[in-house]
Amino acid sequence: MQAKLSTMFQSLQVRNYRLFASGQLIKLVGVWMMFIAQDWLVLELSDNSATALGVVTALQFTPVLLLTLLSGRLADRYDKRVLLFAANAFWTVLALGMSLLVLTDLVQLWHVFAFAALLGTANAVETPVRQAFVSELVGTPLLPNALSLNAAVFNSARIVGPAVAGLAIAAFDVGPVFLFTAVSSIAPLVNVVRMRTSELQRDALPPRDERASAKVVDGLRYVWRRPDLLLPMAVMSVIGMSLFNFQLTLAALAKTVFHTGAASFGLFSTALAVGALCGALSGTGRRSRPSVWLVLGAAIACASFGTLVGFASTYWLVVVLLVPTGFFMVFFAQAANQRVQLGVDAAFRGRVMALWVLVFLGTNPVGAPLIGWVAEHFGAGASIWMGGLISLATALIALTWQLRRSGARLRFRVLPMPRFYVTSADC
């Protein structure tokens, strides 16, 4: 067990990565608390409008759609550590301003809309830089483990944050939750400063003229010529747009279908996050690039369980189904992320990871308003199972395409344990 745990948390032996992960954990607990408080505040200010929730989600992710590729270019041209500090500092100022508006009872719905858009701008810069920075913290041999631990950190915060937020909102209202978010966002700023730059595993920045030639379009061409990178990104773009809107759909499901309070909404998010944390930890032992079959199999499982959540008719059945949904959601996302990161050339890493963030998060502005509209007119459950069926169809089409392209065969074995497997000379 000790050897297993040592392998699972191997990246934490690197001091710079420990600082990075601990700062992210503290900040993300506050972020998830803020997400719950923000959604609850929107419902209160808009008379329980799911469409308003969709608009906030769209505004939060629209800057990702517009700016992420440019941020990837910055990551390939400048010091990622400095960029991370600047983006997180901007985030802290935003969170503090929003908390003051809420605490003084001056907040209006348009304030939340503006805050969401500005927050998305900070995330559009920070997320691709952070994704590309991980390889400099641990190096290529530990990169799969570090990426899995990143997902574990994210989903640990996703467990703690909503649960604490639900109780805090019930006890103190949403204002103190926003204030805690602002305070917690200082942690990554301090830890970035404490990092030892001499221990970062990176090459020196290229000459200024070479950095200037790092164009966004070159990164797009690079991915277009790489089907092994293009396929997971394409599948993620559809699933991210149609199914990965649980921040919106679970809030609407809790309040409009089951007529529960903030604490019960937090339980939905916590159940999803418990499964997601298990999915993240299950990939910590991976030391090589995941196969395309693993990525597609996880996508099919994620879409299947997501569809079942939408069809569930009782509160506790939803809670139970959200655990495997969260597991396969993160297992799929992490396997796809690792397949992309471990297959990309270092010179293109920032721009490729920016494209990954774009398809992972940037599709929300397209899907969120539509999902919100469906939830308001046909029910929150319908918005979930429709997204699940679209995701399932996409994953099955991608599997069929990959089987034909590679000449592989999909088989089913009954003994010793029923399972599908692929017979192929090249996975």
Side-chain angles (χ1 to χ4, degrees):
M1 178 61 70
Q2 184 177 0
K4 179 68 175 177
L5 290 175
S6 177
T7 301
M8 181 178 292
F9 300 104
Q10 191 172 1
S11 294
L12 294 178
Q13 297 173 12
V14 180
R15 179 182 181 275
N16 282 343
Y17 183 78
R18 284 199 307 274
L19 291 171
F20 172 83
S22 60
Q24 286 297 309
L25 178 60
I26 295 170
K27 174 188 173 181
L28 287 171
V29 169
V31 168
W32 277 105
M33 291 179 66
M34 184 272 295
F35 281 156
I36 300 299
Q38 175 183 271
D39 289 349
W40 212 251
L41 181 62
V42 168
L43 290 174
E44 289 180 349
L45 295 175
S46 65
D47 194 24
N48 296 334
S49 172
T51 300
L53 275 180
V55 171
V56 168
T57 304
L59 289 171
Q60 193 166 297
F61 290 102
T62 295
V64 178
L65 182 65
L66 300 177
L67 302 176
T68 293
L69 294 180
L70 295 176
S71 301
R73 186 187 181 201
L74 292 176
D76 283 335
R77 295 178 65 186
Y78 301 109
D79 190 325
K80 299 178 184 64
R81 178 170 164 268
V82 175
L83 292 173
L84 271 180
F85 182 89
N88 277 296
F90 182 55
W91 206 103
T92 301
V93 172
L94 286 176
L96 181 60
M98 186 63 185
S99 67
L100 293 176
L101 283 174
V102 178
L103 286 169
T104 56
D105 290 327
L106 297 176
V107 66
Q108 299 179 31
L109 187 59
W110 73 267
H111 291 145
V112 185
F113 290 162
F115 172 71
L118 291 172
L119 177 65
T121 302
N123 284 338
V125 175
E126 191 263 357
T127 305
V129 175
R130 171 166 44 83
Q131 290 272 347
F133 187 51
V134 176
S135 64
E136 296 185 2
L137 294 170
V138 298
T140 302
L142 288 177
L143 185 57
N145 177 259
L147 292 175
S148 294
L149 288 179
N150 279 359
V153 166
F154 178 86
N155 288 289
S156 296
R158 195 174 185 175
I159 292 173
V160 176
V164 174
L167 297 174
I169 293 171
F172 308 109
D173 208 356
V174 295
V177 176
F178 279 96
L179 182 60
F180 179 84
T181 298
V183 174
S184 67
S185 64
I186 298 173
L189 293 175
V190 175
N191 284 1
V192 164
V193 172
R194 293 177 60 199
M195 288 181 184
R196 298 170 182 164
T197 55
S198 60
E199 296 178 7
L200 293 175
Q201 302 187 38
R202 61 185 181 186
D203 298 328
L205 287 173
R208 186 177 297 274
D209 57 340
E210 292 185 23
R211 283 185 274 159
S213 66
K215 299 178 181 178
V216 171
V217 68
D218 292 334
L220 296 176
R221 288 171 181 164
Y222 174 81
V223 173
W224 183 256
R225 293 192 297 265
R226 294 283 305 274
D228 61 320
L229 304 180
L230 187 61
L231 182 64
M233 287 190 177
V235 175
M236 176 55 75
S237 67
V238 176
I239 294 181
M241 178 175 61
S242 57
L243 185 59
F244 282 16
N245 286 287
F246 286 113
Q247 177 188 343
L248 159 64
T249 54
L250 291 183
L253 192 68
K255 193 157 191 177
T256 64
V257 176
F258 296 109
H259 307 290
T260 57
S264 297
F265 170 36
L267 181 58
F268 276 173
S269 297
T270 300
L272 186 73
V274 167
L277 177 59
C278 294
L281 292 176
S282 68
T284 55
R286 190 175 293 135
R287 289 293 178 270
S288 60
R289 192 184 186 204
S291 72
V292 65
W293 311 116
L294 181 69
V295 173
L296 294 176
I300 292 171
C302 170
S304 299
F305 279 105
T307 303
L308 292 176
V309 169
F311 283 122
S313 58
T314 64
Y315 176 85
W316 288 108
L317 182 58
V318 172
V319 172
V320 170
L321 287 172
L322 282 172
V323 176
T325 302
F327 178 93
F328 285 109
M329 181 177 72
V330 170
F331 190 87
F332 158 62
Q334 196 57 46
N337 187 346
Q338 291 172 346
R339 182 160 178 81
V340 172
Q341 285 242 38
L342 293 173
V344 67
D345 295 332
F348 290 92
R349 187 179 301 278
R351 281 164 288 176
V352 172
M353 293 317 299
L355 184 59
W356 167 260
V357 172
L358 178 64
V359 302
F360 186 50
L361 299 177
T363 51
N364 275 273
V366 179
L370 179 60
I371 294 294
W373 183 86
V374 172
E376 187 163 336
H377 290 83
F378 300 99
S383 69
I384 298 174
W385 64 254
M386 286 181 185
L389 290 178
I390 293 172
S391 300
L392 182 59
T394 300
L396 291 174
I397 290 172
L399 176 64
T400 302
W401 180 85
Q402 183 64 30
L403 288 170
R404 291 184 177 179
R405 179 176 177 272
S406 63
R409 299 283 184 179
L410 185 65
R411 307 289 187 185
F412 180 74
R413 177 182 295 168
V414 177
L415 297 175
M417 181 179 294
R419 70 181 183 93
F420 288 98
Y421 67 99
V422 176
T423 57
S424 174
D426 182 14
C427 293

